[in-house]
C-alpha cells in the first residue's frame, strides 16, 4: 500500500522502531496532541546509545583515547543531557544557561566544555568558578577571562580555538591561527594564568579529509605548546559528524535531477518552482546532505586511518604517540533517531488560483534548521471520521505566520487518500536542530511542548518549564 502522504518527488524517511510504533497508534497521537497542543515534539533517546556506540567502536579499533561531548545547542530538552550523561558522554555548551543547566543536572566539570561564540562575563565566571574548560576564541576574550582569573584566584583552563591556516580549509570567523595563539601566549606576561589543556576546532561541512588535515595542524600546535612548557591533553574536533535521514541514495540524487528538469515557474515539485539553491542537477549546498555515504563510525574510521598530506603516521598514530585524547562534539548525529514532531491539520483549501493547500497548527520555525528546507517526507496519520470527505490531493503545507511565504516545507506532497482537518502530520527525525534551533514565539504563539519517553509513558521535559523564567532578564 502506498503511504498516505509522500513528496511528489519522494524522499522517504528512515524511521526508528519507536517512531513506527507511535505512528501505528493514531488514538495515542491524537490524545497527545489534545493534551499538549500542536505542534508537539516527541523524544525517545534510546537511539543515542547506538549512535554513541558506533563512534566509540571506531575509536577503539584504532586504540584512540576518545571522548564524546553532545552539542547541547542541537536540542533543548534536559532529557538529551541526561541520556548523554548516562552514557558517560560530556556536553558542549554554548551559553550561560546551557552551562548552568548541565551543572545543575550533575554533569561533572571535566565532562563539560564551553564553546560559545561570544561569552558574557557571567558565563566566563560560571565556568571559572566550576573549573570548566573554555574554548578560547580571541585575545579580547582571553583578557576578559584573565580579569576574572585575577579576581577569583582560581585556575583557568582553556582550549585554544584553532582557525586553520591550511589554504584547503575555508576562512573561518572562529578562533585564531596557530601563530596568533603562540604570539599571544609568548608576549603577554599575564597569560601565565591560563592553563592550556587542549586545542579545539569546529569546521563547516562534513568532510573527513578536512578534519584530518586540521587534526594534524592541531597536533603541530600542541608540539609547539609543549615546547613552551604547556601540557595540553586533547584535541577537540568539534561536530559535523555526518548522518543520513534517507536510506535511498537514488531518491536523493533523483530529487535534484527531477528538480533541475522542471521549467521555470512549474510548481509540481516545489513552491514557486524553488530550486532550493541548486544550479544544476547536483544537490544544493544550501541544504543539509540528507543522504550521506559515510556516517558516524565509518566516517571516524576514515579520519583515524588517514595520512594527511602524506604524513608517515596515521592520525590515530599521531594522537597515540603524543598521548593526546581525541574529543568531538556531535549534535545532529547523536540525536539521529531521537525526535519526531507531530502537528495537527487545521484546514484544507486552495490558493486563489486553485492550488491545493493544507494548513497546519504550526509555523515554519518549528521544523527548520539553517538549511533551505527539511528534505524528508512527513507521514500522515488519519484520525477518525473527518468533518469533510477526504479526496486525493497534491498540495503544499502552509503554517501559522501571516506571510505569503509561510510554507512549513517548500516541497509539494501527494495525499492519495486525501487529508482533512483534524488529521495529524508527523515530521520524522527532527531531534537534531529541526525542532529547536530557530523556533520563535512570533505572533505570541506558544513554543511547542517537548515530551520524552521514559520507558513507560510520555512525560513533559522539565526544561520546558524552566525556559520561560530563564530567558527573561
Ligand atoms: C554546532 C556546533 C557543534 C555541533 O555540530 P553538529 O553538526 O551538530 O555535529 C559542535 N561544536 C561546535 C563548536 C558547534 O558550533
Amino acid at each position: 500500500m502506498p503511504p498516505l502522504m509522500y513528496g511528489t518527488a519522494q524522499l522517504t524517511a528512515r524511521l526508528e522502531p519507536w517512531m513506527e510504533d507511535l505512528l501505528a497508534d493514531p488514538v495515542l497521537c491524537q490524545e497527545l496532541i489534545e493534551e499538549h497542543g500542536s505542534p508537539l515534539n516527541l523524544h525517545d533517546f534510546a537511539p543515542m546509545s547506538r549512535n554513541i556506540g558506533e563512534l566509540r567502536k571506531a575509536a577503539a579499533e584504532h586504540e584512540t583515547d576518545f571522548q564524546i561531548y553532545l552539542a547541547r545547542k542541537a536540542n533543548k530538552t534536559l532529557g538529551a543531557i541526561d541520556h548523554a550523561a548516562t552514557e558517560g558522554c560530556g556536553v558542549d555548551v554554548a551559553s550561560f544557561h546551557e552551562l548552568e543547566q548541565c551543572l545543575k543536572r550533575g554533569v561533572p566539570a571535566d565532562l563539560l566544555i564551553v564553546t560559545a561564540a561570544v561569552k558574557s562575563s557571567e558565563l566566563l565566571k560560571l565556568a571559572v568558578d566550576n573549573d570548566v574548560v573554555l574554548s578560547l576564541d580571541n585575545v579580547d576574550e582571553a583578557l576578559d577571562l584573565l580579569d576574572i582569573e585575577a579576581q577569583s584566584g582560581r585556575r583557568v583552563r582553556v582550549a585554544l580555538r584553532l582557525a586553520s591556516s591550511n589554504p584547503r580549509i575555508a576562512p573561518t570567523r572562529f578562533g585564531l591561527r596557530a601563530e596568533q595563539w603562540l604570539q599571544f601566549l609568548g608576549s603577554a606576561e599575564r597569560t601565565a594564568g591560563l592553563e592550556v589543556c587542549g586545542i579545539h576546532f569546529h569546521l563547516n561541512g562534513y568532510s573527513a579529509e578536512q578534519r584530518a588535515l586540521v587534526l594534524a595542524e592541531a597536533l603541530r600546535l600542541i608540539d609547539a605548546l609543549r615546547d613552551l612548557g604547556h601540557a595540553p591533553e586533547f584535541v577537540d574536533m568539534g561536530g559535523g559528524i555526518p548522518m543520513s535521514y534517507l536510506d535511498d541514495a537514488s531518491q536523493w540524487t533523483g530529487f535534484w535531477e527531477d528538480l533541475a528538469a522542471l521549467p521555470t515557474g512549474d510548481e509540481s515539485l516545489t513552491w514557486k518552482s524553488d530550486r532550493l539553491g541548486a544550479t544544476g542537477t547536483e544537490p544544493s549546498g544550501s541544504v543539509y546532505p540528507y543522504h550521506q555515504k559515510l556516517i558516524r563510525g565509518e566516517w571516524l574510521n576514515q579520519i583515524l586511518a588517514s595520512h594527511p598530506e602524506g604524513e608517515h603516521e596515521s592520525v590515530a598514530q599521531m594522537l597515540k604517540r603524543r598521548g593526546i585524547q581525541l574529543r568531538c562534539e556531535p549534535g545532529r548525529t547523536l540525536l539521529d533517531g531521537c525526535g519526531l514532531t507531530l502537528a495537527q491539520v487545521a484546514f484544507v483549501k486552495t490558493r486563489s488560483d486553485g492550488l491545493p493547500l493544507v494548513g497546519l497548527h504550526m509555523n515554519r520555525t518549528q521544523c527548520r534548521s539553517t538549511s533551505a528546507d527539511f528534505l524528508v517526507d512527513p507521514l500522515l496519520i488519519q484520525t477518525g471520521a473527518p468533518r469533510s470527505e477526504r479526496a486525493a490531493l497534491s498540495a503544499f503545507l502552509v503554517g501559522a505566520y501571516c506571510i505569503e511565504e509561510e510554507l512549513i516545507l517548500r516541497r509539494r506532497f501527494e495525499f492519495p487518500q486525501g487529508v482533512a482537518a483534524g488529521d495529524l502530520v508527523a515530521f520524522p527525525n527532527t531531534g537534531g536542530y529541526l525542532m529547536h534551533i530557530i523556533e520563535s514565539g512570533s505572533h505570541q504563539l506558544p513554543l511547542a511542548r517537548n515530551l520524552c519517553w521514559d520507558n513507560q509513558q510520555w512525560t513533559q521535559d522539565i526544561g520546558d518549564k524552566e525556559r520561560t523564567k530563564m530567558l527573561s532578564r
Side-chain angles (χ1 to χ4, degrees):
M1 216 176 61
L4 296 175
M5 172 178 185
Y6 52 91
T8 307
Q10 251 176 290
L11 294 172
T12 310
R14 195 178 48 69
L15 299 177
E16 299 288 336
W18 74 266
M19 297 176 183
E20 289 182 340
D21 292 348
L22 180 79
L23 297 169
D25 192 345
V27 175
L28 173 65
C29 291
Q30 206 173 6
E31 280 171 8
L32 290 171
I33 285 280
E34 266 158 31
E35 185 180 349
H36 299 284
S38 170
L40 179 62
N41 296 322
L42 298 163
H43 300 81
D44 182 335
F45 293 109
M48 192 192 288
S49 303
R50 170 203 61 206
N51 302 337
I52 291 166
E54 287 176 23
L55 288 168
R56 284 189 175 151
K57 183 163 168 280
E61 280 165 8
H62 289 274
E63 296 172 13
T64 299
D65 181 7
F66 182 64
Q67 186 55 281
I68 298 170
Y69 290 69
L70 169 68
R72 169 62 165 151
K73 70 169 194 272
N75 185 283
K76 290 178 183 167
T77 59
L78 291 176
I81 299 178
D82 291 349
H83 198 92
T86 306
E87 287 292 339
C89 292
V91 187
D92 150 31
V93 296
S95 72
F96 177 89
H97 288 305
E98 287 191 357
L99 176 57
E100 190 185 41
Q101 272 190 329
C102 286
L103 290 166
K104 282 189 182 155
R105 291 313 274 178
V107 181
D110 60 338
L111 287 179
L112 288 168
I113 181 163
V114 178
T115 64
V118 178
K119 302 178 185 71
S120 65
S121 53
E122 290 81 9
L123 171 58
L124 294 174
K125 193 165 177 321
L126 185 65
V128 171
D129 286 348
N130 289 281
D131 201 21
V132 173
V133 173
L134 287 146
S135 164
L136 210 52
D137 181 77
N138 59 72
V139 169
D140 277 316
E141 190 173 280
L143 297 176
D144 285 345
L145 187 58
L146 285 165
D147 287 344
I148 286 164
E149 182 248 8
Q151 286 158 24
S152 71
R154 303 179 72 101
R155 73 168 177 170
V156 174
R157 291 194 299 153
V158 297
L160 304 178
R161 190 152 179 172
L162 176 63
S164 176
S165 321
N166 192 314
R168 292 166 67 190
I169 306 294
T172 175
R173 64 163 275 205
F174 293 112
L176 295 176
R177 295 192 310 277
E179 82 262 14
Q180 292 174 297
W181 282 126
L182 290 170
Q183 193 187 10
F184 171 67
L185 292 172
S187 66
E189 227 172 86
R190 292 172 62 205
T191 61
L194 297 178
E195 198 173 298
V196 180
C197 59
I199 303 298
H200 174 234
F201 66 87
H202 170 73
L203 303 182
N204 240 345
Y206 313 95
S207 160
E209 193 195 349
Q210 292 196 355
R211 279 161 184 82
L213 287 175
V214 184
L215 274 168
E217 192 177 344
L219 290 171
R220 288 194 293 273
L221 176 55
I222 280 184
D223 293 342
L225 287 167
R226 284 180 169 171
D227 290 345
L228 290 177
H230 293 279
E233 292 163 357
F234 67 85
V235 177
D236 182 336
M237 65 168 174
I241 298 176
M243 63 169 275
S244 270
Y245 292 85
L246 315 169
D247 274 335
D248 188 342
S250 65
Q251 274 189 350
W252 178 241
T253 49
F255 168 72
W256 296 102
E257 285 160 12
D258 291 352
L259 193 60
L262 284 187
T264 309
D266 185 320
E267 290 190 282
S268 57
L269 292 184
T270 56
W271 179 258
K272 296 189 181 165
S273 199
D274 191 342
R275 307 287 159 161
L276 304 170
T279 49
T281 56
E282 291 296 306
S284 157
S286 312
V287 296
Y288 188 80
Y290 287 89
H291 180 273
Q292 303 196 67
K293 254 198 237 106
L294 291 186
I295 65 167
R296 289 190 285 273
E298 289 177 47
W299 178 90
L300 181 58
N301 174 54
Q302 201 188 28
I303 293 176
L304 291 171
S306 71
H307 295 248
E309 293 183 308
E311 292 273 353
H312 68 283
E313 286 175 313
S314 68
V315 168
Q317 288 165 333
M318 291 162 72
L319 287 162
K320 195 172 176 194
R321 180 164 58 80
R322 292 172 175 84
I324 291 291
Q325 182 179 63
L326 176 64
R327 297 184 181 178
C328 61
E329 303 162 346
R332 194 187 288 267
T333 206
L334 279 206
L335 290 154
D336 184 7
C338 297
L340 176 147
T341 300
L342 271 186
Q344 192 174 42
V345 175
F347 57 76
V348 180
K349 62 174 279 188
T350 52
R351 199 168 67 181
S352 56
D353 61 352
L355 183 82
L357 302 174
V358 174
L360 299 185
H361 288 290
M362 175 175 180
N363 70 68
R364 81 189 131 117
T365 69
Q366 295 178 308
C367 181
R368 184 141 311 190
S369 65
T370 52
S371 252
D373 204 9
F374 178 48
L375 295 177
V376 179
D377 288 358
L379 295 100
L380 179 69
I381 306 161
Q382 291 182 339
T383 55
R387 193 160 48 187
S388 26
E389 218 171 301
R390 299 187 186 92
L393 204 64
S394 168
F396 288 98
L397 300 179
V398 294
Y401 286 175
C402 308
I403 304 166
E404 284 288 355
E405 289 295 308
E406 169 70 354
L407 276 290
I408 301 293
L409 301 174
R410 309 282 302 172
R411 279 187 310 134
R412 187 164 185 158
F413 297 97
E414 303 300 314
F415 299 86
Q417 297 184 42
V419 50
D423 286 345
L424 301 176
V425 172
F427 299 85
N429 217 352
T430 52
Y433 297 106
L434 289 146
M435 53 174 69
H436 287 155
I437 195 76
I438 64 159
E439 67 172 342
S440 95
S442 185
H443 301 38
Q444 311 280 349
L445 287 161
L447 299 184
R449 283 197 189 169
N450 293 283
L451 305 190
C452 299
W453 179 249
D454 67 2
N455 288 320
Q456 274 165 352
Q457 55 180 343
W458 292 104
T459 48
Q460 192 175 2
D461 189 79
I462 337 162
D464 285 0
K465 298 232 161 68
E466 286 185 8
R467 199 159 304 128
T468 338
K469 207 169 48 187
M470 245 166 33
L471 295 183
S472 50
R473 279 213 195 262

